[in-house]
Amino acid sequence: MSALLDEQRGLLEQLSHPQRVQRAGRTFWCGQWCGHEVVLVLTKIGKVAAATTTTALIEAFGVDRVVFTGVAGGVGAGVNVGDVVVANAFIQHDMDSSPLFARYEIPLYGCSTLACDVTLSAILLEASRAGLISERGHFHREKQLETPNIHCGLIASGDQFVASAEVAAQLLSGLQTAGFSPLAVEMEGAAVAQVCHDYGVPFAAVRTISDRADAQAHVDFSAFVQQVASPYALAIVSQFVKLL
Ligand code: ADE
């Protein structure tokens, strides 16, 4: 699953015998990649859209593993633009059914975080390392930035594009008070994780850090996606399908 059209374009070119299937207002591309039957789809934006897409992917296509690529805003210390975060779990930063349930707890699930599949995430981490080496951090050299770091940890999702340092600090402090330290924020992952959890389908996710969730967050966003996030997604997923 990809969050962005630019990202998906590169992946689509790798599919042999691509077939287009329309379902639930989404376009699913079925084909083969490295000897695997693969389905590519855009999640659309936000938790509900991502949940619908994931449900359709599992119900209509019977996928047995889900992997997500996209971009995110870095909120953890040292999580910089151009870095990559492989999720080990997701939380919804806008989930609040208090006082009925604890702040951040998913009602009736008895937990606030949903873990990603350990094996699939380990493969994705390995693929990210190999993919970034193959990309040789060209963006970083061009922009004279540090070599990209790969982080592994919690990602927080919510129906909000975080574009203010104050809002980001508030989100982070609420989560940290409750004992959670997310590395990044985005708008879909926790929903995909919850649907995969419900169906018992292994799930892993990787996000390239496009911004620091501050007032600069939207600046150069599409250029970043085209020049960095899309080549990274292609490099990482190409390694990932080889390692499966
Ligand atoms: N995806 C990329 N950057 C983001 C941000 N700052 N907030 C939410 N989702 C994002």
Side-chain angles (χ1 to χ4, degrees):
M1 306 180 88
S2 314
L4 304 156
L5 183 60
D6 279 317
E7 249 185 292
Q8 196 199 38
R9 253 186 225 120
L11 305 183
L12 198 48
E13 285 169 9
Q14 303 301 314
L15 278 199
S16 41
H17 313 296
Q19 287 198 332
R20 187 172 174 268
V21 181
Q22 286 296 129
R23 189 111 187 175
R26 281 121 174 99
T27 303
F28 294 84
W29 288 96
C30 305
Q32 282 103 42
W33 190 353
C34 250
H36 302 284
E37 294 291 325
V38 170
V39 184
L40 300 179
V41 66
L42 288 177
T43 49
K44 297 202 173 182
I45 296 170
K47 290 186 296 171
V48 174
T52 302
T53 311
T54 311
T55 306
L57 188 59
I58 294 170
E59 284 281 357
F61 299 90
V63 299
D64 55 12
R65 286 170 285 193
V66 172
V67 64
F68 188 105
T69 68
V71 293
V75 293
V79 180
N80 299 314
V81 172
D83 284 358
V84 164
V85 176
V86 175
N88 65 11
F90 280 93
I91 190 165
Q92 295 177 54
H93 65 67
D94 53 0
M95 175 60 78
D96 188 358
S97 296
S98 60
L100 302 180
F101 296 89
R103 177 78 169 101
Y104 304 112
E105 184 172 330
I106 310 167
L108 310 181
Y109 281 65
C111 59
S112 301
T113 59
L114 289 174
C116 298
D117 183 76
V118 173
T119 309
L120 206 59
S121 300
I123 298 172
L124 191 56
L125 186 61
E126 184 53 39
S128 302
R129 287 197 186 111
L132 258 60
I133 289 168
S134 76
E135 267 297 300
R136 294 191 192 88
H138 75 273
F139 166 83
H140 290 77
R141 277 203 311 278
E142 251 170 47
K143 302 262 175 187
Q144 299 183 337
L145 296 175
E146 303 285 306
T147 309
N149 286 312
I150 301 176
H151 311 265
C152 187
L154 181 66
I155 295 182
S157 309
D159 288 319
Q160 182 179 14
F161 187 85
V162 183
S164 136
E166 290 72 37
V167 173
Q170 249 172 26
L171 283 182
L172 197 57
S173 117
L175 284 159
Q176 284 175 339
T177 303
F180 304 108
S181 293
L183 300 178
V185 289
E186 40 81 302
M187 302 178 69
E188 297 83 19
V192 180
Q194 190 167 335
V195 174
C196 287
H197 166 89
D198 290 345
Y199 281 94
V201 173
F203 168 61
V206 61
R207 294 268 185 174
T208 300
I209 300 303
S210 54
D211 57 83
R212 280 287 303 173
D214 56 15
Q216 303 298 306
H218 63 289
V219 180
D220 286 344
F221 187 79
S222 47
F224 181 89
V225 169
Q226 275 174 27
Q227 293 167 17
V228 188
S230 302
Y232 277 17
L234 177 58
I236 293 169
V237 179
S238 299
Q239 296 291 337
F240 181 76
V241 291
K242 276 191 217 158
L243 292 169
L244 280 178

